[in-house]
Each structure stands twice: as C-alpha cells, then as structure tokens.
Amino acid sequence: MVSEQNEPFVIRGKLFTLLDDGEKNEYLYDDDGVMVVGSEGRILSIGSQVPDEYSHYQVVNTQHLIIPGFVDAHVHYPQLPVIASYGASLLDWLDKYTFPEEIRYGDRSYADGRAARFLALILEKGVTSAAVFSTIHDVALEALQVSNRDIGLNLVSGITGMDQGAPDQLLVDLATFKAINQRAIESCREIERFGYAVTPRFALSCSEKMLDYCGQLLEADQSLLMQTHINETEDEILATSALFPNATDYLDVYASFGLLSDRSLFAHGIHNTEIEYEKWAAAGASVIHCPTSNTFLGSGLFDANGYTSKEINVALGSDVGGGFSLNPFVTMAEAYKVAKLRGQVLDPLLLMYWHTLGGARAIHQEETVGSLEPGKYADFCLVDITSDYVGSEIWERAATVRDKLFSLMFAMPDSKNRVVATFTAGILRWHDEIQSGL
Ligand code: GUN
Ligand code: ZN
C-alpha cells in the first residue's frame, strides 16, 4: 500500500511520459520503469533503475500503466448537472439549461455539495490539474476552494464575470464585481496550488466597463491568468459584432480591453479569421480545444492545423456541461475524430501532449506539472490495461507506443480498463480498492 502521507517511495511499472524538451513527440516509455517520489511530493528521478541514493525507499510494484495526470484546461464545475441536456445550440443551451442551474450556486451549501462531487469525479478520471469556471457568486468559488482541501488538485479558477445578457440573479454591478474579485484573488494567494484566472465569461455577458476592469486587473498583477470563450458559434459571433460594432473581429474585442496576452486561455476558437490566428500567435495566447462540447452543441469543427501551423499552444478541455464527458481519453478520441472530419490526422502523442504539457503551458505551470520529470510534482495516475481485452489483446498487439496510446483512447472508455488511482504531489488521493491493487 502506498502511503497517503508524504513519504518518499518508488513506483515501478509500465511508465509513460512525454518529455518537455521543446518537441511535442519526445517521450519515455519503459515496460519496467521506475519513478522515485521524494517527501516534498516532487519527482526525484525516472528511468529504468533506481539511483543508489534512493535504494532504501519503499517500492510499490504495479501492473498498471503509470502516466502523467491530465490537465483539463477548460471545464465548468457548476454545469455537471446539465451535462447531456437535449437538443440545443450554444445560446439556447445557456438560456434553457445552464443559467438556471448556475443561479443555484448563490447558495453556499448547494455549491459545497456540487464542488465536492465535481472534484471527486475529475480525480477519478485521472485529472490532476484543471482551469475551472465557477459562477458569478463568491460563495461558489469558496466552495471550490474548501472542497479541494481534502482532494488536493492543482486548480486555477476565478469569479465568472457577467453584468448583462443573462437572468438578473447571475448579474452583478461593477462595484460588486470589483469587491468580490479582490477578495477572491487574496484568498487564492493563501492556498497552495490554487491560481486565480480573471474570468469574463464571454463578450456577450460583459459590458465594456467590466471588460476594461478585467484588463486592469491583468495589467496590475502579472501572476494572474485570463480565461474566456471565443468564436464558438456563428450566432454568437454575429451577436458579438452587433454589440461591439467598433471591433474588427471577436479577438479584437478582447484585445482592445487588454485581455489578449500569453496569459490568456481562449476556449473554442473554431471560427477564426486568418487575422485572428495571426494576432493570437503574436500574443502567445493559448487555445483550449473542447471537442466533445463542439460536437455535442454542433458548434463546428476546430481547425488544428490553423493553430499548429502558427505554433500556437493548444490544450484540451472537457468543457462540461457543453462537453459530455470528464474522461480525458474520450476528449482525446473526440479531438482525433474532429480533426479527421477536417481531413487532418492527429498523432496520438500530440493528443497526449495537448492534454498534459499543452495544458501545463496554458496555465503557465510547465515547470512543475504536465510530465513526469525530475523536479516536477508527482501528479500521476495508474491506468488499468489488463482487466479487459484492451490490455490482453490491443495493448500487447499494438506495435508502438503511439499505437498503444491510440487504441487506449478509443477502446478504453467502453471497456473495464480505466484509471484506477490518482496521485497529486506524491500523495494517493483516490484509488479503486479492488482494481488498483494498492
Ligand atoms: N460561452 C459562454 N458561456 C459558455 C458556457 O458556459 N459554455 C460554453 N460551451 N460556451 C460558453
Ligand atoms: Zn466553456
């Protein structure tokens, strides 16, 4: 049994990680690999041998695949209950299902229950870092902070800014927004592994004054990130250009209020113009591709080449509840299918990159998360590849690591194979008592 405390240990098993060396397809795979985890929850070494200096550490042997924890770079915790709501496109779906549910998060006890449930679920899927949308309510963000005390994920979140275009219960005046933002930023500073992202929901829900204030916050404090939505559907784009007639395009709305920088996480970005791609690349902003949301809501087909050809950082997000699954393997498989429908073929290693190191880069934490390399946090999960035909047939038969990962993405969600344990900072945070063997 692995300690649930911070004690150093060695874990031995099939070990896979991408290596953060600038290329997006360098990796380490060892059928009998070892990772040494120190008492600070950081990785001390990886490879095929335990260095002599750590030879006295407890060794945990696992038949499961050891891989880096995933980064869900765009997800709405209050939307779990509206997942798979029928038949709407984005703006209808927000009005009919999402806004009514989000109103309920003004009640701290409701938010507490939902936040705890959400965090437990993403942990069970092997997610160890996430950029999370909350609601306009300060108590909803507090619920996320408090629930995470027991769960130990690496999170980024913020107050979701809205002062127009939604029911009154989801709108605040600017003075209130300023006050709750200030308090929320301070409170996040006091929490380990909990970053703050200034979060104007999207241009349609924010007045110019609110966007301007968000830009001022980012200017004043360079440690803050910014997350929002952009170019998700045609209707949304038309409505945005009607509301901001002076903007040359959707990205220009954000840029003109100081919201376009290398600290920006823009979700979707499906219907960009060529000029938008160029400005995006020049700013060093990240795109968060949310393929299950885009297919579910019928928003459109993300153009992977549009981003990769300009070396724009791409990360993956579940975008639950627009997205229908918190499972990173489902998200990667869906990204593959979306690209295929555009005539593009994505390398499984690139999909893994987007969901680990790409996410780490988007949240500016590539020095500490996203791969299993010395000095980084030991944020990882164990994937059972032996309990079903995926392990016994597909995994063994696939000739290369690429092929093995590819088959896992497609075959795993429908088999008994799944994530069976998740660790953050070297601590076992969740495991399936029967299947994990821990
Ligand atoms: N645009 C503005 N708000 C949202 C949201 O909650 N989900 C999605 N998918 N798009 C949005
Ligand atoms: Zn979203």
Side-chain angles (χ1 to χ4, degrees):
M1 175 61 197
V2 183
S3 164
E4 292 182 17
Q5 310 293 312
N6 254 348
E7 279 176 24
F9 64 96
V10 173
I11 186 156
R12 175 183 287 278
K14 292 181 167 60
L15 181 68
F16 170 83
T17 182
L18 284 154
L19 300 171
D20 192 7
D21 68 346
E23 296 300 318
K24 295 190 173 52
N25 56 7
E26 289 293 310
Y27 67 91
L28 177 147
Y29 177 74
D30 196 322
D31 260 331
D32 186 25
V34 286
M35 176 166 69
V36 183
V37 179
S39 55
E40 306 293 311
R42 303 276 186 149
I43 297 166
L44 298 176
S45 87
I46 51 162
S48 48
Q49 305 281 349
V50 180
D52 285 348
E53 62 212 282
Y54 311 125
S55 58
H56 57 292
Y57 286 3
Q58 176 204 10
V59 179
V60 179
N61 291 297
T62 179
Q63 78 270 30
H64 304 307
L65 177 67
I66 306 162
I67 57 170
F70 292 97
V71 181
D72 187 339
H74 184 92
V75 59
H76 300 250
Y77 100 78
Q79 293 180 12
L80 202 56
V82 299
I83 207 168
S85 296
Y86 177 71
S89 57
L90 173 68
L91 299 178
D92 290 343
W93 174 85
L94 287 171
D95 287 340
K96 260 197 225 153
Y97 305 108
T98 305
F99 292 154
E101 175 60 21
E102 290 193 11
I103 288 170
R104 306 179 75 179
Y105 290 74
D107 171 356
R108 172 67 193 271
S109 65
Y110 184 78
D112 276 339
R114 289 293 178 191
R117 179 93 192 101
F118 166 80
L119 292 172
L121 280 174
I122 62 172
L123 188 70
E124 288 176 21
K125 301 292 179 208
V127 171
T128 52
S129 296
V132 184
F133 272 61
S134 178
T135 64
I136 186 69
H137 313 99
D138 50 359
V139 290
L141 184 62
E142 283 163 26
L144 192 69
Q145 293 172 331
V146 170
S147 300
N148 196 45
R149 279 187 200 147
D150 296 334
I151 295 188
L153 290 164
N154 176 45
L155 298 180
V156 171
S157 191
I159 303 282
T160 304
M162 302 172 73
D163 64 353
Q164 60 186 31
D168 286 348
Q169 300 97 310
L170 284 180
L171 306 180
V172 288
D173 59 60
L174 191 59
T176 309
F177 186 61
K178 286 183 180 178
I180 57 180
N181 257 282
Q182 285 305 345
R183 282 202 304 274
I185 292 169
E186 292 308 319
S187 66
C188 287
R189 264 196 249 288
E190 285 160 20
I191 306 175
E192 227 182 308
R193 307 196 78 189
F194 204 112
Y196 195 83
V198 178
T199 308
R201 184 184 201 114
F202 67 158
L204 291 180
S205 68
C206 298
S207 65
E208 294 196 354
K209 284 193 174 124
M210 182 170 274
L211 293 173
D212 188 52
Y213 170 67
C214 290
Q216 288 172 31
L217 280 177
L218 287 160
E219 170 77 29
D221 184 343
Q222 302 285 317
S223 73
L224 299 176
L225 298 169
M226 194 289 301
Q227 55 179 356
T228 190
H229 300 85
I230 191 170
N231 283 335
E232 184 174 358
T233 69
E234 310 277 7
D235 292 358
E236 171 214 17
I237 295 166
L238 284 176
T240 304
S241 67
L243 200 60
F244 296 91
N246 296 330
T248 52
D249 51 46
Y250 200 154
L251 190 60
D252 188 49
V253 175
Y254 294 133
S256 60
F257 293 104
L259 304 177
L260 171 62
S261 79
D262 66 343
R263 290 176 283 143
S264 308
L265 288 79
F266 291 112
H268 306 296
I270 302 171
H271 307 282
N272 290 355
T273 62
E274 195 49 35
I275 290 171
E276 286 177 300
Y277 281 115
E278 277 161 21
K279 288 192 290 191
W280 200 308
S286 291
V287 64
I288 318 301
H289 176 25
C290 303
T292 62
S293 171
N294 300 162
T295 53
F296 179 73
L297 293 173
S299 305
L301 300 175
F302 181 82
D303 180 6
N305 285 356
Y307 289 95
T308 55
S309 63
K310 298 213 162 33
E311 299 194 2
I312 295 169
N313 182 50
V314 181
L316 289 176
S318 65
D319 195 27
V320 158
F324 54 78
S325 173
L326 290 169
N327 186 336
F329 291 92
V330 172
T331 305
M332 290 187 289
E334 199 78 353
Y336 180 84
K337 289 189 272 179
V338 165
K340 259 309 212 163
L341 289 169
R342 290 198 68 121
Q344 302 169 6
V345 181
L346 296 178
D347 183 337
L349 291 172
L350 184 64
L351 290 162
M352 286 294 288
Y353 183 95
W354 285 355
H355 224 343
T356 54
L357 282 164
R361 270 185 212 290
I363 59 172
H364 281 221
Q365 295 186 27
E366 66 272 25
E367 302 295 323
T368 51
V369 303
S371 59
L372 303 179
E373 294 183 86
K376 292 196 177 189
Y377 283 107
D379 289 353
F380 63 99
C381 58
L382 305 183
V383 184
D384 181 352
I385 48 169
T386 57
S387 289
D388 205 346
Y389 69 99
V390 179
S392 54
E393 292 181 24
I394 300 178
W395 181 267
E396 295 304 332
R397 194 176 49 209
T400 65
V401 171
R402 257 191 186 84
D403 293 355
K404 288 179 197 295
L405 292 170
F406 183 69
S407 57
L408 263 191
M409 288 170 200
F410 279 88
M412 194 178 88
D414 212 20
S415 80
K416 292 198 186 75
N417 299 123
R418 58 193 184 90
V419 170
V420 290
T422 309
F423 295 70
T424 63
I427 298 177
L428 178 62
R429 305 289 183 173
W430 169 81
H431 68 296
D432 179 301
E433 289 191 11
I434 297 166
Q435 225 173 324
S436 70
L438 295 175

